[in-house]
Amino acid sequence: MKLGSHVSVSGKGLLAAAKEAIKYHSDTFMIYTGAPQNTKRRKVEDMFIEEGKKLMKEHGIEDFIVHAPYIINLASPKEDTFQMSVDFLREEIVRTEAMGSKYIVIHPGAHVGTGEEKGLERIIEGLNEAISKDQTVSIALEMMAGKGSELNYRFEHAARIIEKVKIPEKLSICFDTCHTHDAGYDIVNNFDGVMEEFDKIIGLDRLQIFHINGSLNPMGSKKDRHANIGATEDNPKGRDHIGLEAIKYIVHHEVAKGKPCLLETPWLDKKTNLYKEEISLLRG
């Protein structure tokens, strides 16, 4: 079991991220190479990569994951947004390789009114433009909640993208517990059945990363609002509709063995080392 969380590269880049992960007693971690809401990025030479790797090695952390910014929308019908997304994804792949990560997670995109059929074709087009046969990084398509017009909230969406992309070996899947719950998959009562369905439609060999989050909403709500693990109504961030036992079952499951399981739960206040607490809770 590899447990970690999102951490910050603010300040000394990968070194700062590794220090934060160690503070939470993590086995792995996830970073954005810069702010997730924009394209401003430092040069990789200024990211303290070797210092970060050295500290990771000293503390037995073998890997980390990069998450692409939210502004990437490969399904966009707007040509300028689409091209920016393709170009920036290419740049992020290069940065991910330079920093030494094997995976970059992306939200594939939202069709913003053109319909799912055209949106999926647009994502396929964008990935075919962005992917290089020589890249060492796998693009992990994140399973989404289906909020608004966002795509990849059904296993069939991901299967179609993988089938149509010219170099499918460069694609993998990131399974988000909040998203899949909100999309209508019963991971609380039938996680084994969900995994059987995933295997049948996509293939478990593609499943390489887990985002571990509670959900503030009932199954099938398509809302995508993360909750703290096992939170109850008296928690300022509200009740978790997935629950501690279901999340523990997932992170201890055979399909998660050896794969990064990364918390993206809400941060309640600066006095609470919440990721450390949740990681300890899930280790049991």
Side-chain angles (χ1 to χ4, degrees):
M1 181 169 52
K2 286 185 178 180
L3 286 172
S5 68
H6 163 243
V7 293
S8 174
V9 296
S10 179
K12 293 191 174 182
L14 188 61
L15 178 60
K19 285 182 177 180
E20 187 177 351
I22 291 162
K23 185 171 68 174
Y24 304 149
H25 296 176
S26 299
D27 308 303
T28 185
F29 58 88
M30 183 176 72
I31 63 168
Y32 293 86
T33 62
Q37 300 88 1
N38 63 51
T39 59
K40 291 181 66 176
R41 294 295 183 267
R42 283 182 280 175
K43 294 179 180 178
V44 291
E45 294 85 358
D46 298 331
M47 291 292 283
F48 294 83
I49 295 170
E50 293 308 315
E51 294 90 338
K53 287 180 179 178
K54 181 175 182 290
L55 187 63
M56 286 170 61
K57 187 175 181 180
E58 290 172 358
H59 289 265
I61 300 176
E62 298 177 352
D63 54 26
F64 67 96
I65 306 299
V66 171
H67 199 306
Y70 306 138
I71 56 170
I72 288 178
N73 182 9
L74 295 176
S76 176
K78 296 181 178 179
E79 195 56 43
D80 56 346
T81 302
F82 174 78
Q83 199 56 54
M84 178 279 295
S85 299
V86 170
D87 294 342
F88 195 70
L89 177 56
R90 284 191 190 126
E91 294 172 13
E92 286 284 81
I93 289 169
V94 171
R95 274 188 283 271
T96 300
E97 287 184 343
M99 294 185 75
S101 176
K102 296 178 182 177
Y103 294 95
I104 179 167
V105 175
I106 68 164
H107 295 180
H111 62 75
V112 292
T114 59
E116 292 190 354
E117 185 77 19
K118 288 186 178 179
L120 288 169
E121 289 303 315
R122 194 70 155 159
I123 290 169
I124 292 161
E125 178 187 353
L127 288 170
N128 279 330
E129 285 192 32
I131 292 172
S132 161
K133 62 181 176 61
D134 298 320
Q135 74 185 53
T136 59
V137 168
S138 176
I139 298 172
L141 307 172
E142 184 166 348
M143 298 308 308
M144 305 304 293
K147 179 179 65 177
S149 66
E150 70 182 7
L151 298 164
N152 211 49
Y153 66 92
R154 301 299 302 170
F155 296 161
E156 289 83 0
H157 290 182
R160 180 171 176 182
I161 293 167
I162 292 166
E163 179 188 2
K164 297 293 184 180
V165 164
K166 293 175 183 176
I167 314 177
E169 59 268 28
K170 304 298 182 183
L171 297 177
S172 54
I173 298 292
C174 173
F175 188 100
D176 186 301
T177 54
C178 174
H179 294 175
T180 49
H181 165 85
D182 284 19
Y185 292 97
D186 191 1
I187 64 170
V188 175
N189 302 300
N190 191 24
F191 182 71
D192 287 344
V194 172
M195 287 295 97
E196 288 174 13
E197 184 178 355
F198 185 100
D199 192 28
K200 181 180 178 182
I201 296 171
I202 301 174
L204 282 172
D205 58 314
R206 298 278 181 185
L207 180 51
Q208 295 298 324
I209 301 163
F210 285 85
H211 283 173
I212 303 300
N213 302 294
S215 174
L216 288 177
N217 292 284
M219 185 181 76
S221 61
K222 295 187 177 180
K223 294 289 187 182
D224 186 13
R225 293 185 64 208
H226 297 187
N228 295 102
I229 306 301
T232 56
E233 294 292 0
D234 59 354
N235 185 307
K237 290 293 182 179
R239 179 190 167 198
D240 171 18
H241 284 262
I242 298 175
L244 173 60
E245 291 309 310
I247 294 292
K248 284 182 76 172
Y249 185 79
I250 292 168
V251 299
H252 287 270
H253 198 282
E254 185 67 24
V255 296
K257 189 176 181 180
K259 295 170 184 174
C261 294
L262 301 152
L263 291 160
E264 298 176 309
T265 49
W267 195 257
L268 296 179
D269 59 62
K270 293 182 179 180
K271 297 178 182 178
T272 307
N273 193 339
L274 197 61
Y275 287 148
K276 180 180 177 181
E277 293 173 11
E278 290 184 325
I279 286 169
S280 176
L281 187 67
L282 292 175
R283 285 204 176 107

Short mmCIF file of all heavy atoms in Angstrom, two decimals, residues 51-104:
data_model
loop_
_atom_site.label_atom_id
_atom_site.label_comp_id
_atom_site.label_asym_id
_atom_site.label_seq_id
_atom_site.Cartn_x
_atom_site.Cartn_y
_atom_site.Cartn_z
N GLU A 51 17.92 17.59 -5.42
CA GLU A 51 17.81 17.67 -3.96
C GLU A 51 16.55 16.95 -3.47
O GLU A 51 16.57 16.26 -2.45
CB GLU A 51 17.76 19.14 -3.53
CG GLU A 51 19.04 19.91 -3.80
CD GLU A 51 19.06 20.58 -5.17
OE1 GLU A 51 18.31 20.12 -6.07
OE2 GLU A 51 19.82 21.54 -5.33
N GLY A 52 15.46 17.12 -4.22
CA GLY A 52 14.22 16.45 -3.86
C GLY A 52 14.33 14.94 -3.96
O GLY A 52 13.88 14.20 -3.07
N LYS A 53 14.95 14.46 -5.03
CA LYS A 53 15.13 13.01 -5.22
C LYS A 53 16.01 12.41 -4.12
O LYS A 53 15.76 11.30 -3.65
CB LYS A 53 15.74 12.73 -6.59
CG LYS A 53 14.78 12.93 -7.75
CD LYS A 53 15.47 12.62 -9.07
CE LYS A 53 14.55 12.78 -10.25
NZ LYS A 53 15.25 12.51 -11.53
N LYS A 54 17.03 13.15 -3.73
CA LYS A 54 17.93 12.68 -2.68
C LYS A 54 17.17 12.51 -1.36
O LYS A 54 17.31 11.48 -0.67
CB LYS A 54 19.09 13.66 -2.50
CG LYS A 54 20.12 13.25 -1.44
CD LYS A 54 21.28 14.25 -1.45
CE LYS A 54 22.36 13.84 -0.44
NZ LYS A 54 21.90 14.00 0.95
N LEU A 55 16.36 13.49 -1.03
CA LEU A 55 15.58 13.42 0.21
C LEU A 55 14.54 12.30 0.14
O LEU A 55 14.33 11.58 1.12
CB LEU A 55 14.88 14.76 0.47
CG LEU A 55 14.18 14.88 1.82
CD1 LEU A 55 15.17 14.78 2.98
CD2 LEU A 55 13.41 16.21 1.91
N MET A 56 13.92 12.14 -1.00
CA MET A 56 12.96 11.04 -1.18
C MET A 56 13.63 9.69 -0.93
O MET A 56 13.09 8.84 -0.22
CB MET A 56 12.39 11.07 -2.60
CG MET A 56 11.38 12.18 -2.86
SD MET A 56 10.97 12.32 -4.64
CE MET A 56 10.28 10.68 -4.96
N LYS A 57 14.80 9.51 -1.51
CA LYS A 57 15.52 8.24 -1.36
C LYS A 57 15.87 7.97 0.10
O LYS A 57 15.75 6.84 0.59
CB LYS A 57 16.79 8.26 -2.21
CG LYS A 57 17.53 6.94 -2.25
CD LYS A 57 18.70 6.99 -3.21
CE LYS A 57 19.42 5.65 -3.27
NZ LYS A 57 20.58 5.68 -4.21
N GLU A 58 16.28 9.02 0.81
CA GLU A 58 16.64 8.88 2.22
C GLU A 58 15.46 8.42 3.06
O GLU A 58 15.64 7.78 4.10
CB GLU A 58 17.18 10.22 2.76
CG GLU A 58 18.55 10.59 2.21
CD GLU A 58 18.96 12.00 2.60
OE1 GLU A 58 18.16 12.69 3.28
OE2 GLU A 58 20.06 12.42 2.20
N HIS A 59 14.25 8.75 2.62
CA HIS A 59 13.05 8.43 3.39
C HIS A 59 12.21 7.32 2.74
O HIS A 59 11.06 7.10 3.13
CB HIS A 59 12.20 9.69 3.60
CG HIS A 59 12.82 10.65 4.56
ND1 HIS A 59 12.50 10.67 5.90
CD2 HIS A 59 13.77 11.61 4.38
CE1 HIS A 59 13.21 11.61 6.50
NE2 HIS A 59 13.99 12.20 5.61
N GLY A 60 12.79 6.63 1.77
CA GLY A 60 12.12 5.47 1.18
C GLY A 60 10.93 5.79 0.29
O GLY A 60 10.07 4.93 0.06
N ILE A 61 10.86 7.02 -0.22
CA ILE A 61 9.79 7.38 -1.16
C ILE A 61 10.30 7.13 -2.57
O ILE A 61 11.24 7.79 -3.02
CB ILE A 61 9.35 8.85 -0.98
CG1 ILE A 61 8.83 9.08 0.44
CG2 ILE A 61 8.28 9.22 -2.00
CD1 ILE A 61 8.47 10.53 0.74
N GLU A 62 9.67 6.20 -3.25
CA GLU A 62 10.18 5.76 -4.56
C GLU A 62 9.62 6.54 -5.74
O GLU A 62 10.26 6.60 -6.78
CB GLU A 62 9.87 4.27 -4.75
CG GLU A 62 10.55 3.36 -3.73
CD GLU A 62 10.15 1.91 -3.91
OE1 GLU A 62 9.24 1.64 -4.72
OE2 GLU A 62 10.75 1.05 -3.24
N ASP A 63 8.42 7.09 -5.60
CA ASP A 63 7.82 7.74 -6.76
C ASP A 63 6.87 8.86 -6.35
O ASP A 63 6.50 8.98 -5.19
CB ASP A 63 7.08 6.73 -7.64
CG ASP A 63 6.05 5.91 -6.85
OD1 ASP A 63 5.55 6.40 -5.83
OD2 ASP A 63 5.77 4.77 -7.27
N PHE A 64 6.50 9.67 -7.33
CA PHE A 64 5.50 10.71 -7.14
C PHE A 64 4.76 10.89 -8.47
O PHE A 64 5.22 10.45 -9.52
CB PHE A 64 6.13 12.03 -6.67
CG PHE A 64 7.03 12.69 -7.69
CD1 PHE A 64 6.54 13.68 -8.51
CD2 PHE A 64 8.37 12.32 -7.81
CE1 PHE A 64 7.37 14.30 -9.46
CE2 PHE A 64 9.20 12.92 -8.73
CZ PHE A 64 8.70 13.91 -9.56
N ILE A 65 3.61 11.54 -8.39
CA ILE A 65 2.74 11.73 -9.54
C ILE A 65 2.61 13.22 -9.83
O ILE A 65 2.56 14.04 -8.91
CB ILE A 65 1.34 11.15 -9.26
CG1 ILE A 65 1.43 9.68 -8.83
CG2 ILE A 65 0.42 11.32 -10.48
CD1 ILE A 65 2.05 8.75 -9.83
N VAL A 66 2.53 13.57 -11.10
CA VAL A 66 2.25 14.95 -11.51
C VAL A 66 0.80 15.05 -11.96
O VAL A 66 0.28 14.14 -12.61
CB VAL A 66 3.19 15.39 -12.65
CG1 VAL A 66 2.76 16.75 -13.22
CG2 VAL A 66 4.63 15.46 -12.16
N HIS A 67 0.14 16.13 -11.59
CA HIS A 67 -1.23 16.39 -12.04
C HIS A 67 -1.21 17.61 -12.96
O HIS A 67 -0.68 18.65 -12.61
CB HIS A 67 -2.15 16.66 -10.84
CG HIS A 67 -3.61 16.50 -11.13
ND1 HIS A 67 -4.25 17.16 -12.17
CD2 HIS A 67 -4.57 15.75 -10.52
CE1 HIS A 67 -5.52 16.82 -12.19
NE2 HIS A 67 -5.75 15.96 -11.20
N ALA A 68 -1.77 17.46 -14.15
CA ALA A 68 -1.86 18.58 -15.09
C ALA A 68 -2.85 19.61 -14.57
O ALA A 68 -3.78 19.28 -13.82
CB ALA A 68 -2.30 18.07 -16.45
N PRO A 69 -2.72 20.88 -14.96
CA PRO A 69 -3.63 21.92 -14.47
C PRO A 69 -5.05 21.74 -14.99
O PRO A 69 -5.28 21.15 -16.05
CB PRO A 69 -3.00 23.22 -14.99
CG PRO A 69 -2.20 22.80 -16.17
CD PRO A 69 -1.69 21.43 -15.85
N TYR A 70 -6.00 22.31 -14.26
CA TYR A 70 -7.41 22.18 -14.59
C TYR A 70 -7.77 22.91 -15.89
O TYR A 70 -8.81 22.61 -16.50
CB TYR A 70 -8.29 22.74 -13.47
CG TYR A 70 -8.00 22.17 -12.11
CD1 TYR A 70 -7.97 22.98 -10.98
CD2 TYR A 70 -7.77 20.81 -11.94
CE1 TYR A 70 -7.72 22.46 -9.72
CE2 TYR A 70 -7.51 20.27 -10.68
CZ TYR A 70 -7.50 21.11 -9.58
OH TYR A 70 -7.24 20.59 -8.34
N ILE A 71 -6.97 23.86 -16.29
CA ILE A 71 -7.32 24.67 -17.46
C ILE A 71 -7.20 23.89 -18.77
O ILE A 71 -7.71 24.33 -19.79
CB ILE A 71 -6.44 25.94 -17.54
CG1 ILE A 71 -4.95 25.56 -17.53
CG2 ILE A 71 -6.75 26.89 -16.40
CD1 ILE A 71 -4.05 26.72 -17.84
N ILE A 72 -6.54 22.75 -18.74
CA ILE A 72 -6.48 21.92 -19.95
C ILE A 72 -7.86 21.36 -20.23
O ILE A 72 -8.50 20.76 -19.37
CB ILE A 72 -5.45 20.78 -19.78
CG1 ILE A 72 -4.02 21.34 -19.81
CG2 ILE A 72 -5.63 19.71 -20.85
CD1 ILE A 72 -2.94 20.30 -19.60
N ASN A 73 -8.35 21.59 -21.45
CA ASN A 73 -9.64 21.04 -21.87
C ASN A 73 -9.52 20.54 -23.31
O ASN A 73 -9.74 21.29 -24.27
CB ASN A 73 -10.76 22.07 -21.76
CG ASN A 73 -12.11 21.49 -22.15
OD1 ASN A 73 -12.24 20.28 -22.34
ND2 ASN A 73 -13.11 22.34 -22.28
N LEU A 74 -9.19 19.27 -23.44
CA LEU A 74 -8.99 18.69 -24.77
C LEU A 74 -10.31 18.50 -25.52
O LEU A 74 -10.30 18.22 -26.72
CB LEU A 74 -8.26 17.35 -24.65
CG LEU A 74 -6.83 17.40 -24.13
CD1 LEU A 74 -6.27 16.00 -23.96
CD2 LEU A 74 -5.93 18.23 -25.05
N ALA A 75 -11.44 18.63 -24.83
CA ALA A 75 -12.74 18.48 -25.49
C ALA A 75 -13.31 19.80 -25.99
O ALA A 75 -14.38 19.83 -26.58
CB ALA A 75 -13.73 17.83 -24.52
N SER A 76 -12.60 20.89 -25.77
CA SER A 76 -13.15 22.21 -26.08
C SER A 76 -13.39 22.39 -27.58
O SER A 76 -12.53 22.07 -28.41
CB SER A 76 -12.19 23.30 -25.61
OG SER A 76 -12.67 24.57 -25.99
N PRO A 77 -14.56 22.95 -27.95
CA PRO A 77 -14.81 23.25 -29.36
C PRO A 77 -14.11 24.53 -29.82
O PRO A 77 -14.03 24.80 -31.02
CB PRO A 77 -16.34 23.43 -29.40
CG PRO A 77 -16.69 23.91 -28.03
CD PRO A 77 -15.73 23.23 -27.09
N LYS A 78 -13.61 25.31 -28.86
CA LYS A 78 -12.91 26.55 -29.21
C LYS A 78 -11.48 26.22 -29.63
O LYS A 78 -10.72 25.64 -28.86
CB LYS A 78 -12.90 27.51 -28.02
CG LYS A 78 -14.28 28.01 -27.61
CD LYS A 78 -14.19 28.98 -26.46
CE LYS A 78 -15.56 29.51 -26.07
NZ LYS A 78 -15.47 30.46 -24.92
N GLU A 79 -11.11 26.62 -30.80
CA GLU A 79 -9.82 26.24 -31.35
C GLU A 79 -8.65 26.73 -30.52
O GLU A 79 -7.66 26.02 -30.33
CB GLU A 79 -9.68 26.73 -32.79
CG GLU A 79 -8.53 26.09 -33.57
CD GLU A 79 -8.62 24.57 -33.60
OE1 GLU A 79 -9.72 24.04 -33.80
OE2 GLU A 79 -7.57 23.92 -33.40
N ASP A 80 -8.75 27.97 -30.01
CA ASP A 80 -7.63 28.51 -29.23
C ASP A 80 -7.47 27.75 -27.90
O ASP A 80 -6.36 27.45 -27.48
CB ASP A 80 -7.79 30.01 -28.98
CG ASP A 80 -9.10 30.38 -28.31
OD1 ASP A 80 -10.02 29.53 -28.27
OD2 ASP A 80 -9.21 31.53 -27.82
N THR A 81 -8.59 27.42 -27.24
CA THR A 81 -8.53 26.65 -26.00
C THR A 81 -8.01 25.24 -26.26
O THR A 81 -7.18 24.73 -25.50
CB THR A 81 -9.93 26.56 -25.34
OG1 THR A 81 -10.41 27.88 -25.08
CG2 THR A 81 -9.87 25.79 -24.04
N PHE A 82 -8.49 24.63 -27.32
CA PHE A 82 -8.04 23.28 -27.67
C PHE A 82 -6.54 23.26 -27.95
O PHE A 82 -5.82 22.42 -27.41
CB PHE A 82 -8.81 22.79 -28.90
CG PHE A 82 -8.32 21.48 -29.45
CD1 PHE A 82 -8.67 20.28 -28.83
CD2 PHE A 82 -7.51 21.44 -30.57
CE1 PHE A 82 -8.23 19.06 -29.34
CE2 PHE A 82 -7.06 20.22 -31.08
CZ PHE A 82 -7.42 19.03 -30.46
N GLN A 83 -6.06 24.21 -28.76
CA GLN A 83 -4.64 24.21 -29.11
C GLN A 83 -3.75 24.53 -27.91
O GLN A 83 -2.68 23.95 -27.74
CB GLN A 83 -4.37 25.19 -30.25
CG GLN A 83 -3.05 24.92 -30.97
CD GLN A 83 -2.95 23.51 -31.52
OE1 GLN A 83 -3.84 23.07 -32.26
NE2 GLN A 83 -1.90 22.78 -31.15
N MET A 84 -4.22 25.46 -27.06
CA MET A 84 -3.48 25.75 -25.82
C MET A 84 -3.37 24.49 -24.97
O MET A 84 -2.32 24.19 -24.41
CB MET A 84 -4.19 26.85 -25.04
CG MET A 84 -3.54 27.22 -23.70
SD MET A 84 -3.94 26.09 -22.31
CE MET A 84 -5.70 26.40 -22.14
N SER A 85 -4.46 23.73 -24.90
CA SER A 85 -4.49 22.52 -24.09
C SER A 85 -3.51 21.48 -24.61
O SER A 85 -2.77 20.86 -23.85
CB SER A 85 -5.91 21.93 -24.06
OG SER A 85 -6.82 22.85 -23.49
N VAL A 86 -3.49 21.30 -25.92
CA VAL A 86 -2.57 20.34 -26.53
C VAL A 86 -1.13 20.77 -26.30
O VAL A 86 -0.28 19.97 -25.86
CB VAL A 86 -2.84 20.21 -28.05
CG1 VAL A 86 -1.73 19.40 -28.73
CG2 VAL A 86 -4.19 19.55 -28.30
N ASP A 87 -0.84 22.04 -26.58
CA ASP A 87 0.53 22.54 -26.46
C ASP A 87 1.01 22.48 -25.01
O ASP A 87 2.16 22.09 -24.74
CB ASP A 87 0.63 23.98 -26.98
CG ASP A 87 0.38 24.08 -28.47
OD1 ASP A 87 0.48 23.04 -29.16
OD2 ASP A 87 0.07 25.19 -28.95
N PHE A 88 0.13 22.88 -24.07
CA PHE A 88 0.55 22.89 -22.68
C PHE A 88 0.70 21.48 -22.13
O PHE A 88 1.59 21.23 -21.31
CB PHE A 88 -0.43 23.69 -21.82
CG PHE A 88 0.13 24.05 -20.48
CD1 PHE A 88 1.15 24.99 -20.36
CD2 PHE A 88 -0.33 23.44 -19.33
CE1 PHE A 88 1.69 25.32 -19.14
CE2 PHE A 88 0.21 23.76 -18.09
CZ PHE A 88 1.21 24.70 -17.99
N LEU A 89 -0.14 20.56 -22.58
CA LEU A 89 0.02 19.17 -22.16
C LEU A 89 1.36 18.63 -22.63
O LEU A 89 2.05 17.93 -21.87
CB LEU A 89 -1.12 18.31 -22.70
CG LEU A 89 -1.03 16.80 -22.38
CD1 LEU A 89 -0.93 16.55 -20.88
CD2 LEU A 89 -2.24 16.06 -22.97
N ARG A 90 1.75 18.94 -23.86
CA ARG A 90 3.07 18.53 -24.35
C ARG A 90 4.18 19.05 -23.44
O ARG A 90 5.10 18.32 -23.08
CB ARG A 90 3.30 19.08 -25.77
CG ARG A 90 2.57 18.35 -26.88
CD ARG A 90 3.11 18.84 -28.21
NE ARG A 90 2.32 18.39 -29.34
CZ ARG A 90 1.81 19.18 -30.27
NH1 ARG A 90 1.97 20.50 -30.19
NH2 ARG A 90 1.14 18.68 -31.29
N GLU A 91 4.07 20.33 -23.06
CA GLU A 91 5.08 20.93 -22.19
C GLU A 91 5.10 20.25 -20.82
O GLU A 91 6.17 20.02 -20.24
CB GLU A 91 4.81 22.43 -22.02
CG GLU A 91 4.97 23.23 -23.30
CD GLU A 91 4.50 24.67 -23.13
OE1 GLU A 91 4.29 25.09 -21.97
OE2 GLU A 91 4.35 25.36 -24.15
N GLU A 92 3.92 19.93 -20.29
CA GLU A 92 3.83 19.27 -18.99
C GLU A 92 4.41 17.86 -19.03
O GLU A 92 5.00 17.39 -18.06
CB GLU A 92 2.37 19.22 -18.52
CG GLU A 92 1.83 20.55 -18.04
CD GLU A 92 2.34 20.91 -16.65
OE1 GLU A 92 3.49 21.41 -16.57
OE2 GLU A 92 1.63 20.70 -15.66
N ILE A 93 4.25 17.18 -20.15
CA ILE A 93 4.86 15.85 -20.31
C ILE A 93 6.38 15.96 -20.23
O ILE A 93 7.04 15.17 -19.55
CB ILE A 93 4.42 15.21 -21.65
CG1 ILE A 93 2.93 14.82 -21.59
CG2 ILE A 93 5.27 13.99 -21.97
CD1 ILE A 93 2.34 14.44 -22.93
N VAL A 94 6.93 16.97 -20.89
CA VAL A 94 8.38 17.19 -20.85
C VAL A 94 8.84 17.50 -19.43
O VAL A 94 9.84 16.97 -18.94
CB VAL A 94 8.79 18.33 -21.82
CG1 VAL A 94 10.26 18.71 -21.63
CG2 VAL A 94 8.53 17.91 -23.26
N ARG A 95 8.08 18.35 -18.72
CA ARG A 95 8.43 18.69 -17.34
C ARG A 95 8.34 17.46 -16.43
O ARG A 95 9.16 17.26 -15.55
CB ARG A 95 7.51 19.80 -16.82
CG ARG A 95 7.96 21.21 -17.15
CD ARG A 95 7.12 22.25 -16.45
NE ARG A 95 5.83 22.41 -17.11
CZ ARG A 95 5.60 23.26 -18.10
NH1 ARG A 95 6.56 24.03 -18.56
NH2 ARG A 95 4.40 23.36 -18.65
N THR A 96 7.31 16.66 -16.65
CA THR A 96 7.12 15.46 -15.83
C THR A 96 8.30 14.51 -16.02
O THR A 96 8.82 13.95 -15.05
CB THR A 96 5.81 14.76 -16.22
OG1 THR A 96 4.72 15.67 -16.01
CG2 THR A 96 5.57 13.51 -15.39
N GLU A 97 8.73 14.33 -17.26
CA GLU A 97 9.89 13.48 -17.53
C GLU A 97 11.15 14.03 -16.86
O GLU A 97 11.91 13.29 -16.25
CB GLU A 97 10.12 13.36 -19.04
CG GLU A 97 9.11 12.48 -19.74
CD GLU A 97 9.42 12.30 -21.22
OE1 GLU A 97 10.22 13.09 -21.77
OE2 GLU A 97 8.86 11.38 -21.83
N ALA A 98 11.35 15.34 -16.98
CA ALA A 98 12.54 15.98 -16.42
C ALA A 98 12.59 15.85 -14.90
O ALA A 98 13.66 15.71 -14.31
CB ALA A 98 12.59 17.46 -16.82
N MET A 99 11.42 15.85 -14.27
CA MET A 99 11.37 15.75 -12.81
C MET A 99 11.46 14.31 -12.32
O MET A 99 11.71 14.07 -11.14
CB MET A 99 10.09 16.40 -12.28
CG MET A 99 10.06 17.91 -12.52
SD MET A 99 8.62 18.71 -11.79
CE MET A 99 9.09 18.71 -10.05
N GLY A 100 11.27 13.36 -13.22
CA GLY A 100 11.47 11.96 -12.85
C GLY A 100 10.22 11.20 -12.47
O GLY A 100 10.30 10.14 -11.86
N SER A 101 9.03 11.73 -12.85
CA SER A 101 7.79 11.01 -12.58
C SER A 101 7.38 10.21 -13.82
O SER A 101 7.68 10.60 -14.95
CB SER A 101 6.66 11.98 -12.21
OG SER A 101 5.44 11.29 -12.04
N LYS A 102 6.67 9.12 -13.59
CA LYS A 102 6.24 8.25 -14.70
C LYS A 102 4.82 8.54 -15.15
O LYS A 102 4.38 8.01 -16.18
CB LYS A 102 6.34 6.78 -14.27
CG LYS A 102 7.75 6.31 -13.97
CD LYS A 102 7.74 4.86 -13.50
CE LYS A 102 9.15 4.40 -13.15
NZ LYS A 102 9.14 3.00 -12.63
N TYR A 103 4.07 9.35 -14.37
CA TYR A 103 2.66 9.56 -14.68
C TYR A 103 2.27 11.02 -14.57
O TYR A 103 2.69 11.72 -13.65
CB TYR A 103 1.77 8.77 -13.71
CG TYR A 103 1.89 7.27 -13.85
CD1 TYR A 103 2.77 6.55 -13.02
CD2 TYR A 103 1.16 6.56 -14.80
CE1 TYR A 103 2.89 5.18 -13.15
CE2 TYR A 103 1.28 5.19 -14.93
CZ TYR A 103 2.14 4.51 -14.10
OH TYR A 103 2.27 3.15 -14.22
N ILE A 104 1.44 11.47 -15.51
CA ILE A 104 0.80 12.77 -15.40
C ILE A 104 -0.71 12.55 -15.51
O ILE A 104 -1.21 11.97 -16.48
CB ILE A 104 1.30 13.78 -16.46
CG1 ILE A 104 0.56 15.12 -16.29
CG2 ILE A 104 1.17 13.25 -17.88
CD1 ILE A 104 1.20 16.26 -17.07
#
